[in-house]
Amino acid sequence: MKTRVTDILGTEYPIIQGGMAWVAEHHLAAAVSNAGGLGLIGAANAPAEVVREEIRKVRELTDKPFGVNIMLISPSADEVAQLVMEEEVPVITTGAGNPEKYMKVWKESGMKVIPVVASVALAKRMERYGADAVVAEGCEAGGHIGEQTTMTLIPQVADAVEIPVIGAGGVGDGRGMAAMFLLGAEGVQIGTRFVVSDESIVHENYKERIVKSKDIDSVVTGRSTGHPVRSLRNQNTKEYLKKEQEGASFEELELLTLGSLRRAVLEGDTKNGSVMAGQIAGLIKQRQTCKEIIEELVKETEALLKGAEKWEK
Ligand code: FMN
């Protein structure tokens, strides 16, 4: 399946595995890249040396292209921005902000740069600064989100920029992926479905929570702080939302989120931890390898798009 996105990434399929904090480590990234997609290491708040180790471990497991997602609000962002150049990482994606200050040096070092955006304005700005593509992420997604839905965001971004758009937020099967193409995307980024893949190191309790979830099980916390996050409803989100309603301060709310994703991902505390997942969680019922997921997605998408000629550029 070839689009401008596969040309940029050097992959077989235009499918990126989201750079998920704590989840997107070397096993998952390598499995996705080996299956023909683009696996990402999620640098999140990790110190630069930990990210360097992860990059080296991916390289031991695959010779295919992979990338690193840099969370721009991380205290290590500057150091990680430097080390991805030293390590000659083929693709960089960025989350939680505007990567403008790094774009020039990243581009000069030959890396492909793909910022994640949640608005037309940021997409256009990123194009001006030399981005190779953008991931446009709708608020159906798991983790930190913007305001626009995938349905409304993707076609507006696709009309506003010349560079390829990769759609994210709510893709669970070939219907979702085909819909992204029809909305104007030339690739997809998927998070939640890869969380439950066999190669994902996420605790069994977390995977089970996703597989057993229903359509209405995700909630958004943190709107009052300006940093909304989508995760599956539990004791942690209940307490957070109650405190938000009571007008708790940012510091007080932070206490509830500190270490909460790590607790859920590594320790399996799905009650008091943060079980980040998107609205599509309710659709995900199967446990599969990354290869099975990707092959199924591609097969379904190709079948659905037969006759819809506009998608392939
Ligand atoms: N996106 C980022 O850019 N940086 C992150 O650190 C990050 N962490 C995430 C952690 C989890 C557990 C999940 C589910 C998502 C995270 N995301 C992050 C968003 C994903 O990269 C991806 O864009 C999103 O999951 C796509 O929507 P979907 O979950 O509906 O597939």
Side-chain angles (χ1 to χ4, degrees):
M1 182 182 269
K2 295 291 167 206
T3 70
R4 288 194 294 170
V5 171
T6 50
D7 291 345
I8 290 168
L9 304 178
T11 56
E12 201 173 333
Y13 306 117
I15 298 174
I16 300 180
Q17 159 248 313
M20 301 172 275
W22 291 105
V23 176
E25 49 69 73
H26 61 279
H27 295 100
L28 182 62
V32 170
S33 288
N34 280 330
L38 187 85
L40 293 184
I41 296 290
N45 286 326
E49 282 316 305
V50 172
V51 181
R52 196 190 299 276
E53 267 302 292
E54 284 294 310
I55 291 168
R56 293 185 177 173
K57 284 178 183 162
V58 176
R59 284 208 160 105
E60 283 168 20
L61 298 177
T62 186
D63 55 3
K64 300 270 169 53
F66 68 97
V68 171
N69 171 263
I70 302 183
M71 275 266 284
L72 298 163
I73 49 172
S74 160
S76 329
D78 283 343
E79 281 173 73
V80 177
Q82 179 61 36
L83 98 84
V84 288
M85 290 190 284
E86 289 163 18
E87 293 291 324
E88 297 177 10
V89 172
V91 182
I92 299 304
T93 71
T94 59
N98 180 343
E100 233 158 78
K101 67 172 177 174
Y102 307 120
M103 296 281 280
K104 193 163 174 281
V105 280
W106 280 348
K107 289 301 305 165
E108 280 168 5
S109 73
M111 297 190 298
K112 303 292 182 196
V113 182
I114 308 182
V116 178
V117 302
S119 72
V120 164
L122 188 56
K124 284 168 84 166
R125 203 172 166 105
M126 292 301 95
E127 181 176 50
R128 272 206 310 278
Y129 275 82
D132 294 277
V134 285
V135 172
E137 189 193 69
C139 61
E140 294 92 324
H144 290 263
I145 53 169
E147 281 295 336
Q148 295 280 108
T149 60
T150 295
M151 180 79 135
T152 58
L153 181 67
I154 306 302
Q156 294 186 74
V157 173
D159 279 354
V161 295
E162 296 291 326
I163 52 176
V165 176
I166 296 154
V171 176
D173 63 12
R175 289 172 297 183
M177 185 162 157
M180 285 290 198
F181 283 121
L182 295 176
L183 290 170
E186 293 171 59
V188 293
Q189 172 166 292
I190 295 176
T192 304
R193 188 161 177 193
F194 283 123
V195 173
V196 299
S197 67
D198 292 346
E199 294 90 343
S200 136
I201 53 110
V202 169
H203 196 283
E204 201 49 35
N205 296 351
Y206 197 126
K207 293 185 182 179
E208 270 302 292
R209 180 73 183 87
I210 291 180
V211 168
K212 291 205 171 122
S213 69
K214 299 191 294 292
D215 54 347
I216 55 169
D217 278 359
S218 82
V219 284
V220 178
T221 52
R223 286 204 195 279
S224 66
T225 68
H227 299 286
V229 172
R230 184 178 298 285
S231 52
L232 297 181
R233 206 185 291 281
N234 63 4
Q235 190 57 32
N236 182 274
T237 59
K238 200 170 150 188
E239 272 177 44
Y240 194 107
L241 290 169
K242 187 164 168 274
K243 278 198 189 299
E244 268 193 298
Q245 250 178 2
E246 292 166 357
S249 68
F250 181 72
E251 289 71 25
E252 231 180 305
L253 291 167
E254 275 288 286
L255 285 179
L256 274 176
T257 54
L258 248 169
S260 63
L261 179 60
R262 191 193 60 78
R263 269 203 309 282
V265 170
L266 298 185
E267 293 162 24
D269 182 357
T270 52
K271 287 201 175 85
N272 300 304
S274 171
V275 186
M276 288 184 192
Q279 288 185 323
I280 204 64
L283 190 82
I284 299 164
K285 299 291 168 219
Q286 253 182 309
R287 306 290 291 271
Q288 293 166 301
T289 63
C290 291
K291 188 169 186 304
E292 286 164 348
I293 292 173
I294 288 175
E295 283 176 359
E296 190 180 287
L297 278 165
V298 170
K299 198 169 142 215
E300 289 171 359
T301 305
E302 281 180 339
L304 287 164
L305 288 173
K306 255 190 199 149
E309 282 155 18
K310 277 180 94 178
W311 72 276
E312 197 166 331
K313 297 233 170 164

